[in-house]
Amino acid sequence: MPRVLSTAANFSTLFFVFVLPSFLAVLPPPTPPSLPPSPLANVSSCTNTRGCLPTPATNNNNMASGLMYDGCNFFRQRLVLSTLSGKNVKIKNIRSRDDEPGLRDFEASFIRLLDKVTNGSRIEINQTGTVLFYQPGLLYGGSVEHDCNPQRSVGYYLEALLMLAPFMKTPLKATLRGVTNDPTDPTVDLLKSTAVPLMKKFGIDGEAFDLKVVKRGMAPGGGGEVVFTCPVHKTIRPVQLTEPGKIKRIRGVAYSVRVSPQMGNRIVESARSILNQFLPDIYIYTDHMKGANSGKSPGFGLTLVAETLNGCFLSAEMSSTPQGQGDPVLPEDLGRNCAKLLLEEVYRGGCVDSSNQSLALLLMTLGQQDVSKVLLGPLSPYTMEFLRHIRDFFQIMFKIEVQKPLDDERKGGDKVLMTCVGVGYSNISKTVK
């Protein structure tokens, strides 16, 4: 038999159980109390525990675990600074509007070189090559051989290795093959004469620190070979390079391959005809390579370096037009134009020449937590962008002071005094012995 509910209490219970939901369905939901608008309503999401700032409308938006950039410009800067800082970087819209979108062959070759000198790097490229994600690994070093793409000179790859080599786990010995001299990138002779002495001022020194040209290879064929060795260092010391001093001597190299050996002598005579008006101590070597050491393409060029009383180096260089590309150039014109470029570099002045400004600023940034000062000539556009990237990756801002020399001093154009406090970068990969 069914159970009968006889008491009033049971009846009331039964009523509320079955009738109350019908009332709830009719009543509107309660409205929450109105709150004042949040001051962070327009602020982007951020995982930084020190507070969030609005994301600026620039091309370097902060990701949760790294940085994001747009376009293919300053490709090496971003990957090198990402490797040193350990921050992930994502680059999108790489030539997305070009007829041939995506990474070029020489950029892919640069990525492969980074992969060889690091351990644990993760590189992701989409199918069209327009988006790159790079998660840096630890700098390992060791013995590395790499065939550089002939679209760019070995100097394109060597500039990045100069920045990374002191912070490897083991001493680096890199053998790079390809084009050693072309009109676009710094040649191996220029880096050997200016970048290596500059790094020695920051304490990066040793018997194994050397850059040697085994074979020369002119554009477009290449066929050259360069051996770069660098010991590892724990820290970088701060520097005070504020007085360049006067020019005391000029040295240079006139090189030629697969052409008449007289080309080098003609370059030397034309360059000396201009430089001898200012300085007697000039010596320009001629380097004519033959046979297997002369590469695959003919060409010639000149590298000039002016040394000051205080041990600073200012440089200029010119190379002949690559075979089959543009109008040929006479060796006399090349020598005279290169000498004028050196005089212009001396006029710009500073303790570091234009081609090595970014290297000096990086070493200042990575130095110990002390003040570093370097006097530079007018900043190049490449250096200005490098300063912005240093701010993104290391949060370092430079103090920039313009120094205008007096008319009677005859010290050239305006100078820029760069001052910063280093981040105290330490090589955690270095083996303790």
Side-chain angles (χ1 to χ4, degrees):
M1 291 182 63
R3 185 179 178 184
V4 179
L5 299 174
S6 58
T7 61
N10 288 335
F11 179 78
S12 63
T13 303
L14 185 68
F15 174 78
F16 279 108
V17 168
F18 288 98
V19 177
L20 190 59
S22 64
F23 290 138
L24 287 175
V26 176
L27 294 176
T31 58
S34 61
L35 296 175
S38 171
L40 297 179
N42 297 322
V43 176
S44 61
S45 61
C46 176
T47 57
N48 189 353
T49 56
R50 292 181 292 180
C52 301
L53 294 175
T55 303
T58 59
N59 63 344
N60 53 324
N61 304 319
N62 287 327
M63 296 189 300
S65 59
L67 294 163
M68 184 181 293
Y69 291 98
D70 200 274
C72 63
N73 287 340
F74 313 105
F75 183 76
R76 288 179 304 164
Q77 287 185 14
R78 293 163 181 171
L79 295 189
V80 167
L81 292 176
S82 170
T83 306
L84 289 172
S85 65
K87 294 183 178 179
N88 302 341
V89 66
K90 184 177 183 180
I91 305 174
K92 58 182 183 178
N93 294 331
I94 301 174
R95 300 185 184 91
S96 56
R97 297 179 181 271
D98 282 18
D99 294 336
E100 298 180 3
L103 293 169
R104 295 288 181 261
D105 291 341
F106 65 88
E107 292 167 332
S109 178
F110 179 74
I111 294 173
R112 283 194 290 270
L113 177 61
L114 273 185
D115 190 42
K116 289 179 182 178
V117 298
T118 57
N119 187 10
S121 296
R122 188 159 67 93
I123 302 157
E124 297 176 3
I125 304 172
N126 70 341
Q127 191 170 5
T128 58
T130 56
V131 179
L132 166 73
F133 175 77
Y134 176 66
Q135 180 179 344
L138 294 176
L139 287 164
Y140 187 77
S143 182
V144 174
E145 293 190 9
H146 185 68
D147 292 326
C148 303
N149 190 274
Q151 292 177 352
R152 298 298 289 264
S153 153
V154 168
Y156 175 85
Y157 305 88
L158 202 52
E159 277 187 309
L161 282 185
L162 286 168
M163 297 178 177
L164 298 173
F167 310 105
M168 303 280 182
K169 180 180 178 66
T170 58
L172 177 68
K173 181 183 179 183
T175 303
L176 305 178
R177 299 183 183 90
V179 177
T180 58
N181 304 81
D182 75 346
T184 308
D185 298 302
T187 63
V188 180
D189 306 279
L190 182 84
L191 296 175
K192 182 177 181 179
S193 303
T194 57
V196 171
L198 174 64
M199 295 175 70
K200 289 181 179 179
K201 291 182 181 294
F202 286 87
I204 302 170
D205 203 352
E207 294 180 1
F209 191 35
D210 189 29
L211 181 56
K212 184 180 179 182
V213 182
V214 180
K215 302 177 184 177
R216 284 197 187 277
M218 301 294 293
E225 184 175 319
V226 175
V227 177
F228 172 54
T229 56
C230 181
V232 294
H233 283 268
K234 182 78 174 174
T235 56
I236 302 295
R237 70 181 179 214
V239 296
Q240 303 282 331
L241 301 177
T242 56
E243 287 295 331
K246 294 186 177 182
I247 305 297
K248 69 175 180 179
R249 64 184 173 205
I250 294 176
R251 296 292 180 265
V253 176
Y255 51 86
S256 56
V257 292
R258 295 193 175 272
V259 294
S260 169
Q262 285 298 317
M263 291 291 187
N265 297 330
R266 292 164 64 182
I267 293 172
V268 171
E269 289 175 8
S270 59
R272 289 183 67 101
S273 67
I274 290 181
L275 297 176
N276 275 336
Q277 303 175 36
F278 304 96
L279 198 68
D281 189 0
I282 301 170
Y283 198 92
I284 303 175
Y285 301 88
T286 56
D287 181 11
H288 181 74
M289 288 193 170
K290 302 177 182 178
N293 293 337
S294 61
K296 301 177 181 178
S297 298
F300 51 86
L302 175 64
T303 301
L304 293 173
V305 179
E307 184 180 353
T308 69
L309 291 169
N310 293 341
C312 300
F313 295 88
L314 306 174
S315 64
E317 65 176 357
M318 281 194 75
S319 296
S320 61
T321 308
Q323 186 181 25
Q325 301 177 15
D327 298 328
V329 60
L330 290 173
E332 287 81 9
D333 295 339
L334 186 141
R336 282 191 293 268
N337 292 336
C338 188
K340 292 175 183 177
L341 284 178
L342 180 66
L343 296 178
E344 183 180 348
E345 193 66 44
V346 172
Y347 177 82
R348 291 163 63 93
C351 297
V352 181
D353 64 348
S354 305
S355 57
N356 291 298
Q357 286 178 351
S358 55
L359 175 62
L361 295 176
L362 176 67
L363 295 176
M364 290 171 66
T365 302
L366 300 179
Q368 294 305 289
Q369 294 182 343
D370 199 355
V371 177
S372 291
K373 293 184 178 182
V374 172
L375 186 69
L376 303 177
L379 299 180
S380 65
Y382 186 86
T383 306
M384 294 178 192
E385 195 65 31
F386 194 76
L387 288 170
R388 298 186 182 105
H389 283 118
I390 286 178
R391 180 193 60 193
D392 293 342
F393 284 95
F394 291 102
Q395 289 75 52
I396 288 290
M397 301 279 281
F398 281 77
K399 179 184 178 184
I400 303 175
E401 300 174 77
V402 179
Q403 295 187 353
K404 295 181 178 293
L406 300 176
D407 294 336
D408 56 349
E409 287 183 338
R410 301 181 67 183
K411 288 188 177 180
D414 296 348
K415 310 291 188 294
V416 181
L417 182 64
M418 308 293 291
T419 308
C420 82
V421 177
V423 296
Y425 191 86
S426 181
N427 185 1
I428 58 173
S429 303
K430 185 176 185 292
T431 306
V432 180
K433 295 182 181 179

